[in-house]
Each structure stands twice: as C-alpha cells, then as structure tokens.
Amino acid sequence: NCSRGTLLGASIDFYLLEKVRLVSVNPGERNYHVFYEITCPRGMSIKEKKRYKLTSNFGRGELPLTAKDFNMTSMSGTFDRRDGVVDMDTYQELRMAMDSVGFA
C-alpha cells in the first residue's frame, strides 16, 4: 500500500564498486557521493553525527566533521559536484528513500 510506504516491487541493478576510488582519487574527482552527503554541513543532525563518530573528538565533541576532515574525501581537493547537484538535497532524498522502506 503506497499510503503506508510499503514496498510494492523492485528491480535490482548491479554496480561495480571501483576499489581504486577508496585508495586514491584523481584531481577534480570525488570519492563515493554518499561520503560527501553524510558529512555535508546541513545533512545529518549533530545527534546523528555523534552516533556515527562524525563530530570532533571521535563523536564526543560538538563540532561536526566535514569532507575536508577526512583524507578519503579531501585528497583531490574537490568537494562540490561538477553537475551542480547539492549534497544536502541528495542526502535528504536518500533519507526519505531509506525511511520509506524501513531503514532508520
């Protein structure tokens, strides 16, 4: 039932994760988008960021960490998407999709 957010059907796509992206990223490129989405300034709440250790002092501090604070997401020096899509918007879409299928 769509009004209750239950899954009515699905199709499965297969994606190959590029291992090289976890080790290095070329200048002008970014790592996997979700890493930038979860660390964007207005994405997760401070409470959520603390839960996942994404605040200062390994989750005990109040200062939220950003993509610039991690080697994996800062090695190329590119933080914004080239297509103009805003990470906060795609993070919110991701959360809505996860909520609709029961992932909290």
Side-chain angles (χ1 to χ4, degrees), residues 20-80:
V20 71
R21 286 187 180 263
L22 293 177
V23 177
S24 66
V25 181
N26 293 326
E29 291 186 354
R30 298 189 336 162
N31 213 306
Y32 295 106
H33 293 297
V34 72
F35 297 145
Y36 300 87
E37 293 169 3
I38 65 174
T39 58
C40 70
R42 295 181 313 220
M44 286 182 170
S45 67
I46 292 293
K47 182 179 178 180
E48 290 173 305
K49 286 186 178 187
K50 287 178 105 171
R51 177 180 179 193
Y52 297 111
K53 312 293 190 234
L54 296 173
T55 61
S56 57
N57 201 18
F58 200 64
R60 292 184 294 273
E62 296 295 323
L63 184 65
L65 300 176
T66 69
K68 293 179 182 180
D69 295 309
F70 298 94
N71 186 50
M72 181 187 292
T73 50
S74 65
M75 67 178 73
S76 75
T78 301
F79 300 100
D80 297 320

Side-chain angles (χ1 to χ4, degrees), residues 1 11 17 37 68 89:
N1 183 330
S11 66
L17 296 179
E37 293 169 3
K68 293 179 182 180
D89 295 340

